[in-house]
C-alpha cells in the first residue's frame, strides 16, 4: 500500500468536482417575470393613453352626458333595439344639457354622442379587465418580483378610483333645473389629473423593470441629486399646467380669446373678476382661466430652460439626451398651445395639444428616472 500525501483527497477513489459559484443569485430570486410584466404594463400604458385621447374627444364633442346612469356591469351592453335607443334618448331629454343646448337633436344625432361616451366607458372596462387578468395570472404563477405585488395592486386601486371619479364628474352635469350643460370643470380636472398620475406610475414601473435590480442598485450610487430635484419640480409644475388646461377645457375657455400674445387687445383680459363670489372666477371666468393657463405656460417654459441647461451638463450622455428631448417637447407644446388659441381650439388641434402633454409628461419622467439611475457609458460607446 502506497503512502498518501497529507494534501491528497481521501474522501474516495474518484476526485470530486468543486461546486462553481453562480453569479446573479440575488437577481434570480427577486426578478420574477420582469419582461412579461413590463410587456403587460406596456399594453396598459397604451390603453391609458388611448383613454386620455378618447376622453378628450368625448369632451370636445360634448358627448359625456349622453349616458345618464352609472351601471358598471350592465352598462357594457349598448341599446340593442329601437325601443332601447328611444328609452335612452328619453332619459337624456330629462337633463339640462338637452333642454338648454340640444333640443334640435333627433335620435340619430343622439346616437353619435352616445357611442362616444359608451366607447369611453367601455375602454375603461377593458383596462380594468386587462389589469385584473394580468395581476391574478402573475400572482397565481408566482411570477411577481419580490416587493412588486403591492405596487401592481396599487394600479388596480387607482383604476377603480378613476372609475368612481369619472361618474362623480358626469353626475355634476346630469342635472334637472340647475342650468348645467357640461360637467363641473374642477371635477374634469380631477379626473384628468388622476389619469396622468396612473400613466406616470405605469411609466415609472416600466423604467424600473427595464433594468435588473443589481443595475439599479449600482446606478443609484451615481444619482445626480440636484438634477433629480429640478426634474421633480418640473414634473410637478407640468402637472399643475395639465390641471389648468383641464379647467380651460371644462368651460371652453380656449375659445373665449383668440388673439395672442394679448387677450382682447389687453395684457389682462377685460372683467377678470366679474363673477360673484370672487373665487368662482378662478374656475368659471373664461378670460381669467385662460389668462392663468397662459401665464403658467410662460413660467413653465422659463423653468424648463433652467432645468434643460442643468441637464445638458450631466456627466451621462443618455441623461443629457433625455433632457434635450424634454426641452424639445416643451417648445413644441408651447407652439401647439398658441396655435390652439389662434384657431379657437378646433378639436383636431386641441386633441393634438392634449396628446403632446402626454408625451411631455412621460419624457419628464424618463429624464427624472435617469437622474436617479444614470446609465454609465464606457469609452467604447463614444
Amino acid at each position: 500500500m502506497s503512502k498518501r500525501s497529507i494534501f491528497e483527497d481521501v474522501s474516495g477513489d474518484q476526485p470530486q468536482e468543486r461546486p462553481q459559484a453562480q453569479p446573479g443569485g440575488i437577481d434570480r430570486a427577486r426578478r420574477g417575470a420582469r419582461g412579461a410584466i413590463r410587456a403587460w404594463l406596456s399594453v396598459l400604458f397604451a390603453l391609458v393613453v388611448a383613454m386620455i385621447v378618447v376622453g378628450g374627444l368625448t369632451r370636445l364633442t360634448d358627448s359625456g352626458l349622453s349616458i345618464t346612469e352609472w351601471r358598471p356591469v350592465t352598462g357594457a351592453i349598448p341599446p340593442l333595439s329601437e325601443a332601447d335607443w328611444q328609452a335612452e334618448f328619453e332619459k337624456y331629454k330629462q337633463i339640462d344639457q338637452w333642454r338648454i343646448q340640444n333640443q334640435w337633436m333627433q335620435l340619430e344625432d343622439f346616437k353619435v354622442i352616445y357611442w362616444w361616451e359608451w366607447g369611453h366607458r367601455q375602454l375603461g372596462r377593458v383596462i380594468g379587465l386587462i389589469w385584473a387578468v394580468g395581476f391574478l395570472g402573475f400572482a397565481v404563477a408566482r411570477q411577481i418580483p419580490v416587493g412588486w405585488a403591492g405596487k401592481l395592486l396599487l394600479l388596480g386601486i387607482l383604476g377603480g378610483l378613476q372609475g368612481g371619479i369619472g361618474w362623480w364628474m358626469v353626475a355634476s352635469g346630469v342635472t334637472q333645473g340647475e342650468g348645467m350643460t357640461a360637467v363641473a370643470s374642477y371635477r374634469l380636472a380631477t379626473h384628468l389629473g388622476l389619469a396622468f398620475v396612473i400613466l406616470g406610475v405605469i411609466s415609472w414601473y416600466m423604467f424600473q423593470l427595464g433594468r435588473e435590480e443589481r443595475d439599479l442598485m449600482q446606478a443609484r450610487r451615481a444619482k445626480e441629486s440636484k438634477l433629480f430635484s429640478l426634474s421633480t419640480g418640473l414634473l410637478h409644475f407640468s402637472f399643475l399646467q395639465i390641471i389648468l388646461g383641464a379647467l380651460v377645457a371644462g368651460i371652453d375657455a380656449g375659445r373665449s380669446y383668440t388673439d395672442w400674445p394679448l387677450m382682447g387687445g389687453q395684457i389682462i383680459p377685460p372683467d377678470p373678476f366679474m363673477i360673484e363670489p370672487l373665487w368662482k372666477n378662478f374656475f368659471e371666468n373664461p378670460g381669467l382661466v385662460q389668462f392663468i393657463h397662459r401665464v403658467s405656460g410662460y413660467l413653465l417654459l422659463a423653468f424648463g430652460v433652467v432645468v434643460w441647461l442643468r441637464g445638458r451638463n450631466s456627466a451621462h450622455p443618455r441623461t443629457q439626451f433625455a433632457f434635450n428631448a424634454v426641452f424639445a417637447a416643451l417648445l413644441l407644446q408651447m407652439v401647439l398651445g398658441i396655435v390652439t388659441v389662434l384657431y379657437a381650439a378646433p378639436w383636431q388641434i386641441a386633441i393634438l395639444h392634449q396628446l403632446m402633454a402626454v408625451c411631455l409628461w412621460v419624457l419628464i419622467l424618463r429624464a427624472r428616472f435617469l437622474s436617479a439611475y444614470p446609465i454609465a457609458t464606457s469609452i467604447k460607446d463614444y
Side-chain angles (χ1 to χ4, degrees), residues 136-185:
L136 292 175
F138 287 120
V140 170
R142 297 186 178 182
Q143 290 298 308
I144 297 179
V146 173
W148 276 85
K151 294 180 180 181
L152 300 180
L153 181 61
L154 174 64
L155 286 177
I157 295 173
L158 290 175
L161 179 62
Q162 180 72 323
I165 289 177
W167 173 246
W168 175 66
M169 175 187 69
V170 171
S172 67
V174 182
T175 60
Q176 298 178 15
E178 298 178 22
M180 292 290 293
T181 60
V183 300
S185 61

Side-chain angles (χ1 to χ4, degrees), residues 170-208:
V170 171
S172 67
V174 182
T175 60
Q176 298 178 15
E178 298 178 22
M180 292 290 293
T181 60
V183 300
S185 61
Y186 61 90
R187 298 193 188 190
L188 174 66
T190 303
H191 190 52
L192 182 65
L194 184 55
F196 272 82
V197 168
I198 293 172
L199 193 67
V201 172
I202 294 174
S203 300
W204 195 263
Y205 289 173
M206 289 172 61
F207 297 152
Q208 289 182 318

Side-chain angles (χ1 to χ4, degrees), residues 61-380:
T61 55
D62 287 326
S63 304
L65 301 181
S66 56
I67 302 178
T68 60
E69 298 173 323
W70 190 38
R71 295 174 293 169
V73 179
T74 58
I77 303 174
L80 300 176
S81 66
E82 198 67 16
D84 291 340
W85 276 113
Q86 196 62 49
E88 290 296 323
F89 191 26
E90 290 302 321
K91 293 175 186 176
Y92 178 66
K93 286 182 178 180
Q94 303 303 311
I95 69 173
D96 292 331
Q97 187 184 71
W98 183 84
R99 183 177 57 84
I100 297 173
Q101 181 176 304
N102 289 336
Q103 286 196 29
W104 58 270
M105 277 190 173
Q106 300 299 317
L107 181 59
E108 292 304 313
D109 304 305
F110 169 72
K111 286 181 180 181
V112 174
I113 63 172
Y114 185 96
W115 281 122
W116 270 114
E117 175 63 7
W118 182 84
H120 183 51
R121 296 191 188 190
Q122 194 71 2
L123 187 54
R125 293 183 178 99
V126 169
I127 293 173
L129 180 62
I130 289 179
W131 172 84
V133 171
F135 179 78
L136 292 175
F138 287 120
V140 170
R142 297 186 178 182
Q143 290 298 308
I144 297 179
V146 173
W148 276 85
K151 294 180 180 181
L152 300 180
L153 181 61
L154 174 64
L155 286 177
I157 295 173
L158 290 175
L161 179 62
Q162 180 72 323
I165 289 177
W167 173 246
W168 175 66
M169 175 187 69
V170 171
S172 67
V174 182
T175 60
Q176 298 178 15
E178 298 178 22
M180 292 290 293
T181 60
V183 300
S185 61
Y186 61 90
R187 298 193 188 190
L188 174 66
T190 303
H191 190 52
L192 182 65
L194 184 55
F196 272 82
V197 168
I198 293 172
L199 193 67
V201 172
I202 294 174
S203 300
W204 195 263
Y205 289 173
M206 289 172 61
F207 297 152
Q208 289 182 318
L209 290 169
R211 292 161 67 178
E212 296 290 352
E213 287 287 341
R214 64 177 180 275
D215 180 26
L216 294 175
M217 291 175 65
Q218 292 172 353
R220 194 181 299 124
R221 299 170 187 169
K223 177 181 178 180
E224 298 178 275
S225 299
K226 182 63 176 179
L227 194 53
F228 179 78
S229 297
L230 285 171
S231 57
T232 300
L234 186 63
L235 184 72
H236 292 161
F237 203 159
S238 64
F239 184 76
L240 172 63
Q241 183 68 345
I242 289 165
I243 297 300
L244 292 173
L247 293 177
V248 169
I251 58 173
D252 286 327
R255 295 167 178 155
S256 56
Y257 291 91
T258 58
D259 53 335
W260 184 86
L262 300 178
M263 297 182 67
Q266 303 176 196
I267 295 177
I268 300 176
D271 300 320
F273 300 106
M274 62 182 179
I275 300 175
E276 295 290 342
L278 182 67
W279 64 268
K280 278 194 171 184
N281 289 278
F282 295 95
F283 298 94
E284 299 178 14
N285 185 324
L288 183 60
V289 172
Q290 189 191 134
F291 175 74
I292 292 172
H293 187 51
R294 287 191 187 193
V295 172
S296 178
Y298 303 146
L299 294 175
L300 178 61
L301 179 62
F303 185 54
V305 171
V306 173
V307 177
W308 172 63
L309 291 174
R310 182 65 183 241
R312 66 199 295 260
N313 291 324
S314 169
H316 305 279
R318 296 192 186 184
T319 305
Q320 291 177 19
F321 182 81
F323 280 93
N324 287 339
V326 167
F327 187 59
L330 185 57
L331 288 176
L332 181 56
Q333 179 69 333
M334 186 79 173
V335 172
L336 278 173
I338 294 171
V339 172
T340 302
V341 166
L342 293 177
Y343 285 88
W347 71 265
Q348 298 92 334
I349 301 177
I351 201 64
L352 187 59
H353 187 46
Q354 185 169 340
L355 187 58
M356 194 63 217
V358 172
C359 295
L360 178 60
W361 177 248
V362 175
L363 286 172
I364 294 173
L365 278 164
R366 176 65 177 168
R368 181 175 181 266
F369 180 80
L370 288 174
S371 300
Y373 304 97
I375 298 175
T377 305
S378 62
I379 297 177
K380 66 180 182 180

